[in-house]
Amino acid sequence: MKAFRAHSSAPVLVANFAAPAILPFGLFDANVPDSFSYALARANDGLRGRISDLPGTVIWDYAALVRDRGAARWTDPRLWALGRIAVAADHQPALAAGLARAVAGVLRKNA
C-alpha cells in the first residue's frame, strides 16, 4: 500500500475481513484463544493499524454488510462452483449499493 501511495494520491478503499457463517468451534469459537474469531479480530485490527497511517486510505466495513445481511446465506456454493462468484445472487444488489455508498463517501467533496 505504501508503494501505491508513493505513486498516487488517489483515494483507496480497503475492505475488512468478514467472519464466515460457520466457525470451527461453533458457538464457542470466541472462547478459544487460537480460534478463527480471534485470528479474524487480529487481522482486522492489523488492517486498521496499517491503514491509519496512510492518508486518503479508508476501510470499508464489508464485515458489517455481511453480518447485517446474514452470513449464513451470503455465499452460494453453486455460484462459487460455476464461476468463483463469492456472493449469492440475492445479496449482490446490497453489495453493489454498499460499495457504491462507500466510494461516493470517499470521493464526494465535504459540504
Side-chain angles (χ1 to χ4, degrees):
M1 188 65 68
K2 289 181 182 182
F4 174 79
R5 188 50 69 215
H7 297 288
S8 176
S9 62
V12 177
L13 192 64
V14 178
N16 62 0
F17 303 102
I22 299 172
L23 294 167
F25 295 105
L27 296 174
F28 301 103
D29 201 73
N31 294 302
V32 180
D34 291 329
S35 70
F36 191 79
S37 293
Y38 276 86
L40 191 63
R42 282 191 303 270
N44 280 328
D45 286 343
L47 182 63
R48 264 190 303 279
R50 294 183 76 164
I51 296 300
S52 66
D53 296 342
L54 301 172
T57 306
V58 296
I59 293 177
W60 171 45
D61 198 0
Y62 173 75
L65 177 65
V66 173
R67 184 182 58 246
D68 292 347
R69 298 289 296 187
R73 297 183 48 189
W74 184 255
T75 60
D76 180 346
R78 184 181 57 84
L79 287 179
W80 180 256
L82 287 172
R84 299 294 186 246
I85 301 168
V87 180
D90 291 347
H91 297 298
Q92 289 174 8
L95 174 65
L99 185 55
R101 280 192 306 274
V103 169
V106 169
L107 296 179
R108 191 175 301 141
K109 302 277 189 231
N110 292 336

